[in-house]
Amino acid sequence: MNYNINTRGYYGEFGGAYIPEMLYPNVEELRQNYLKVMDEPEFQKEFNQLLKDYVGRPSPLYFAKRLSEKYNTKIYLKREDLNHTGAHKINNTIGQILMAKRLGKHRIIAETGAGQHGVATATVCALMGLECIVYMGEIDIARQAPNVARMKMLGAKVIPALSGSRTLKDATNEAIRDWINNPIDTHYIIGSVVGPHPYPDMVARFQSIISKEIQWQLQEHEQTSQPDYIIACVGGGSNAAGAYYHFLEDTDVKLIAVEAAGLGVNSGESAATSVLGREGIIHGSKTLLMQTKDGQITEPYSISAGLDYPGVGPMHSHLYKTGRAEFMSVTDDQAMTAGLELCQLEGIIPAIESAHALAVLEQKSFQPNAIIVLSLSGRGDKDLETYINHFKL
Ligand SMILES: *Cc1c(COP(=O)(O)O)cnc(C)c1O
């Protein structure tokens, strides 16, 4: 079984590029060039240098002693929370901004929901001196004021999406419209392993630095490069794709993907896409998505803004369908409790997205000598207000 992308841009039956004809030249230009550019020694050198000096990689693989004692197993945390800007998203935006420059683009567009990808994009645009336009739903602009302020400070122009539900999918539509109108000079930075081929594969490759580091770091700690389990939360799926990447074909390594159940999988207020979703087309790719009987996309809900996405990347749909990864879902309450537990056992305040992955430790039992690597995708500073309200701190 092949778990990676095939030459036509599909993971099994999922993926592809379902785009309006007017977008074809842009996507095709990227498709024809991305592997060639990523293979260039000069590109590799610049990418790796920035990951080291600007992002602060390698991120530590930390043995969480007290957490391990509590759950009677061996738990390592992959500390993406220590990256510049506080999460794994910067790995991808660094890669894509270098790609954009190699393709001669000098204008960058992006869409953002919670604002995390918008901030990571505005950051790399400032770093490279490129124009940055971020589309964001009007509702999200109001809900995520600190991230809007960050983007503006970094020099980005934030344009509100005023149509539809005025959230992420409407911002995506605006970004696509912009790209159609500016095919020559503009690159569209997508923030997860979603979108038309080649985006899911390109983003997975940029994020694959995570599993590459896990291999040698685990060798240092445990004299093996192979964990028994890798656990990661899944919104679109990029931190999970990065953490799994170099282990995809090694079926001795069990993969656990954690989705947000919101108020409960069957509550109608959830983002457990693979369990609830059916095959459909979103953001230019064929994948599992939450939809009504007549195919309208359902508004997702999660307490964590980063997991609040109605679809999931095509790689993950394939991992779900083939059973290569075990999909679990975690409610708001379970995630918040697990987040607070990490604070008090290890002195690390996790992003609420990452806290969903942590909640698996309570739900599933592991052998005492099992080696678990958990992707701590981001830090919780951005979530302080949510923690305060939830625990009445
Ligand atoms: C955006 C985000 C996620 C979800 O995105 P993926 O593409 O699924 O990784 C998870 N954790 C954090 C901290 C995020 O900012």
Side-chain angles (χ1 to χ4, degrees), residues 87-101:
H88 64 290
K89 286 194 172 73
I90 192 86
N91 303 326
N92 168 48
T93 56
I94 295 261
Q96 284 201 48
I97 200 92
L98 295 179
M99 180 67 62
K101 282 196 358 181

Side-chain angles (χ1 to χ4, degrees), residues 87-89 116 191-192 233-240 306-307 351 353-354 377-378 382:
H88 64 290
K89 286 194 172 73
Q116 297 299 111
S192 189
C233 67
V234 173
S238 68
N239 86 90
L307 301 184
E353 291 86 355
S354 321
S377 55
K382 69 183 176 63

Side-chain angles (χ1 to χ4, degrees), residues 12-258:
E13 60 193 281
F14 300 106
Y18 296 80
I19 50 172
E21 201 177 325
M22 291 176 75
L23 214 54
Y24 182 78
N26 310 34
V27 174
E28 184 59 14
E29 181 189 24
L30 191 60
R31 191 188 68 78
Q32 285 185 6
N33 289 292
Y34 82 109
L35 290 175
K36 205 166 58 195
V37 170
M38 286 176 80
D39 263 354
E40 287 168 8
E42 269 308 303
F43 181 93
Q44 297 262 329
K45 190 171 161 219
E46 197 175 355
F47 183 52
N48 290 324
Q49 193 79 46
L50 284 170
L51 289 182
K52 176 168 176 278
D53 296 334
Y54 188 71
V55 176
R57 302 202 73 92
S59 66
L61 184 69
Y62 165 68
F63 177 63
K65 183 159 176 290
R66 301 221 309 136
L67 194 68
S68 297
E69 277 165 9
K70 160 131 199 217
Y71 291 104
N72 192 28
T73 189
K74 286 199 245 180
I75 303 164
Y76 286 88
L77 303 177
K78 183 57 174 161
R79 298 290 309 275
E80 294 302 299
D81 61 313
L82 294 176
N83 293 342
H84 178 48
T85 69
H88 64 290
K89 286 194 172 73
I90 192 86
N91 303 326
N92 168 48
T93 56
I94 295 261
Q96 284 201 48
I97 200 92
L98 295 179
M99 180 67 62
K101 282 196 358 181
R102 293 296 191 286
L103 298 178
K105 313 291 174 179
H106 47 80
R107 182 174 174 274
I108 299 296
I109 58 171
E111 92 283 336
T112 195
Q116 297 299 111
H117 173 57
V119 170
T121 301
T123 299
V124 297
C125 288
L127 177 69
M128 295 295 166
L130 297 188
E131 185 184 356
C132 182
I133 290 132
V134 180
Y135 291 94
M136 190 170 183
E138 193 182 31
I139 301 268
D140 289 332
I141 289 180
R143 287 195 289 211
Q144 310 287 345
N147 276 340
V148 176
R150 286 185 185 104
M151 285 183 263
K152 287 183 177 166
M153 287 184 73
L154 292 163
K157 188 169 167 198
V158 181
I159 302 184
L162 304 171
S163 64
S165 57
R166 293 173 289 153
T167 57
L168 180 62
K169 72 174 163 44
D170 313 290
T172 303
N173 291 339
E174 294 294 331
I176 289 172
R177 197 165 304 146
D178 181 314
W179 208 23
I180 289 172
N181 291 327
N182 299 282
I184 306 296
D185 66 339
T186 298
H187 176 72
Y188 178 16
I189 299 191
I190 294 183
S192 189
V193 284
V194 299
H197 177 62
Y199 279 99
D201 184 47
M202 179 172 67
V203 176
R205 285 169 188 263
F206 287 140
Q207 292 291 1
S208 72
I209 184 71
I210 299 173
S211 48
K212 202 167 158 195
E213 289 174 3
I214 291 171
Q215 287 182 317
W216 64 259
Q217 290 173 319
L218 205 58
Q219 187 70 43
E220 284 184 3
H221 282 285
E222 294 280 347
Q223 291 74 55
T224 171
S225 60
Q226 210 184 28
D228 295 299
Y229 294 90
I230 302 173
I231 306 177
C233 67
V234 173
S238 68
N239 86 90
Y244 299 163
Y245 196 85
H246 291 284
F247 302 104
L248 281 172
E249 312 298 333
D250 180 355
T251 50
D252 289 341
V253 180
K254 296 178 198 73
L255 309 177
I256 300 180
V258 188

